[in-house]
Structure formats: structure tokens, C-alpha cells
Amino acid sequence: MQHNLQLFLQNISASFAGQQLIKITLGNKREKSAELKNIFIKPVTIKNAPKLYFTYRNNTNDTFKNYDIKESLILIEKMLQTDFYNADLFTATNDFHLSADKSGTVKIITRPASLVIKEDAGQHDKQKNRVINSATALYLHELGITTAEGIVKKDMQDKFKQINRYVEIIEGIIKDIDFEKNITVADMGSGKGYLTFALYDYLTANLNLVAAVTGIEMREDLVKKCNTIAAAVNYKNLIFKKGTIQDAELKSIDMLIALHACDTATDDAIYK
């Protein structure tokens, strides 16, 4: 019923106004072949203005938009009428589950709150303190560092800090070098690819360079996984190759990365 949909929207508006809104999800797409799979929405503060941050999850990529509450309610209402059957609203006091069917019947189930508001929730501007933006770096989700909504997982906070610190160090080294828009990099012993992906992201997204980055890794399963992720996030010039540091064939490169805590790997890379 239209009444239940309006009630759901009123709950969104009230929880947003009272700073009790934690997140909203839209799912169970009406058209199974549709490219858009889900929408995840969370409150953020941008330049001291409260907004709702939309993550549109598509089959091949994610897109992101910020809207004020009025625009958001219009969009959510439209999506629940044309694109999705289900929606979940999580607030500090209650969870609300909305479900619709093909006949137009809409039901709402109210449950006790399952989530709590984090002290730093919604401070979207704080992302500027990090070189790598967790909300837009899709590879971070594929690597298991962030949730589908672009939030860094609790048990991956240290890894995310390490990635950003690593990129900051690289930034300090190359900031005064003119690469003339092109740079070729080899990462020797790239492992799971955390730092390799972050470096490619920084070079292309932050510095707008045409970067060709190659990760050399001896474990075939990691090479395959990293190449799959690179293809999924459309990093065309980021590739991973199976091989050892000693045997790797390196042509003309501008920078060689070697960051290891095991045996003589770093010494081998320097010698190479």
C-alpha cells in the first residue's frame, strides 16, 4: 500500500533529522537483468552540511553520489516503485524492513535496533585526511578491506593505515620528479597486492599519470586473484606476473618497489 511506503519515507526523514539514521539499503531488484544490483545509503557531513551518500552497486562497477534529504527521499521513493522490492532502514532506535510485491502490496516490519551509531559516523570530510579514499577505491572492497558501502572493516583498520602511509612515503619521494605523464613501475614480491593496487590508484587518480604497474609474485594463486580484481575494477595497465625476483625480466622502468619483512627479498630486489 502507498500508505506504508510513505510511512517508511517518514521514518527516514525523522531519523535523519534526529541524527539517528545509520544506513539504508535497497535491494531485490524488480528486473533481474538490470545492471543496478543494490543501493547503499549512509549519512555524511560535507562542508558542515548533512547529506546522504549513495553507493550504486552495478554488475561491473560502483558509482557514488551525494544528495540532500529532500532529493534523497524523492529518489528512494522512485526506486522502490520502479527498481527494487525491498528496503531496510537502520536507525539507533529501530530497524525497519519494507517489502513489496508485484501486485503493489507494501509491508513494513519493525524490529529492535541491530546497529549502533559510531562516534565518527558521517564525517565524510575526514576521508580527505587519507590519500586513498575508502569510499571510491573499489579494489579495497575486492581485497576485503572495506564493506560494500566503502567503510573500512574494523579488523582492517591497521592495514588501511599502512596502505595510506606507504602511499604518503611514495608521494614524498616522487613529488618533485617530472614523469611527463608516463611512469612505469615494478613491484617485486607484490603478495596480495594491497600496496600495488594503492600505488596504481594514487598514480592514476591523484597524479593523473599514465601508469604501467607490474606486480611480480611467485605464488600463482595470488597472481590470478590480483589480475581478476584488476580487471574487475578496470585497471587496464596494472598486471601481475608469476615469477621470482631473481628471474623477473624487467625492461625500462622508472621505479622499483620492494617492501618485505622476509629473508633477503628486499636485498634481492635492490640487486636486481
Side-chain angles (χ1 to χ4, degrees):
M1 292 179 147
Q2 187 67 18
H3 170 73
N4 282 337
L5 175 56
Q6 293 305 314
L7 180 60
F8 187 79
L9 296 171
Q10 289 171 15
N11 285 330
I12 293 175
S13 179
S15 61
F16 180 83
Q19 298 183 346
Q20 299 295 297
L21 194 157
I22 298 174
K23 70 175 180 177
I24 306 166
T25 65
L26 308 183
N28 191 11
K29 56 187 180 180
R30 291 173 180 262
E31 180 58 54
K32 297 305 178 185
S33 61
E35 174 73 12
L36 181 61
K37 297 193 299 182
N38 305 92
I39 298 178
F40 300 98
I41 306 165
K42 63 180 181 180
V44 296
T45 301
I46 301 177
K47 296 181 179 178
N48 295 320
K51 301 279 187 180
L52 284 175
Y53 181 75
F54 282 57
T55 299
Y56 296 85
R57 292 224 72 189
N58 299 291
N59 288 327
T60 56
N61 69 305
D62 291 359
T63 56
F64 311 89
K65 293 286 186 180
N66 296 309
Y67 301 103
D68 62 30
I69 184 62
K70 183 177 180 180
E71 293 173 309
S72 298
L73 291 172
I74 292 172
L75 287 170
I76 292 170
E77 181 177 17
K78 181 180 178 181
M79 288 288 183
L80 288 175
Q81 291 172 332
T82 61
D83 296 274
F84 299 102
Y85 285 117
N86 294 353
D88 287 283
L89 166 63
F90 300 90
T91 76
T93 54
N94 291 103
D95 294 350
F96 302 92
H97 174 72
L98 179 146
S99 62
D101 58 28
K102 293 181 180 179
S103 69
T105 301
V106 178
K107 298 180 180 179
I108 296 178
I109 297 174
T110 303
R111 300 187 179 96
S114 60
L115 302 175
V116 296
I117 296 177
K118 297 179 180 179
E119 291 184 4
D120 60 347
Q123 298 302 313
H124 193 58
D125 288 336
K126 288 186 178 180
Q127 291 180 356
K128 295 179 181 178
N129 295 330
R130 297 291 185 191
V131 181
I132 301 300
N133 188 336
S134 64
T136 58
L138 304 183
Y139 61 90
L140 292 177
H141 175 59
E142 300 295 335
L143 289 169
I145 295 175
T146 62
T147 65
E149 298 92 337
I151 301 171
V152 179
K153 296 178 180 178
K154 185 176 180 179
D155 60 345
M156 297 301 287
Q157 292 285 343
D158 287 344
K159 176 60 68 176
F160 185 60
K161 291 177 182 178
Q162 180 200 38
I163 288 171
N164 275 275
R165 180 56 185 147
Y166 163 78
V167 175
E168 288 171 359
I169 292 171
I170 299 295
E171 183 178 45
I173 293 171
I174 69 173
K175 64 181 180 179
D176 296 323
I177 300 175
D178 183 8
F179 290 104
E180 297 181 352
K181 289 293 181 181
N182 292 282
I183 182 171
T184 302
V185 182
D187 186 353
M188 310 301 287
S190 52
K192 295 180 180 179
Y194 295 125
L195 304 180
T196 325
F197 276 94
L199 178 61
Y200 185 89
D201 180 19
Y202 170 71
L203 294 174
T204 56
N206 294 51
L207 299 187
N208 295 315
L209 292 171
V210 178
V213 179
T214 302
I216 305 297
E217 171 56 46
M218 63 185 298
R219 289 166 288 185
E220 187 172 2
D221 59 328
L222 295 182
V223 172
K224 288 182 177 179
K225 180 179 179 180
C226 288
N227 277 324
T228 299
I229 294 173
V233 298
N234 201 31
Y235 280 1
K236 296 179 180 179
N237 293 322
L238 173 60
I239 61 173
F240 294 82
K241 295 182 178 180
K242 183 178 183 298
T244 63
I245 294 174
Q246 295 91 333
D247 298 332
E249 293 185 8
L250 301 179
K251 297 180 180 179
S252 176
I253 60 171
D254 299 300
M255 181 163 58
L256 183 145
I257 304 297
L259 183 61
H260 313 100
C262 57
D263 201 28
T264 62
T266 299
D267 295 323
D268 294 338
I270 293 171
Y271 178 77
K272 182 72 175 183

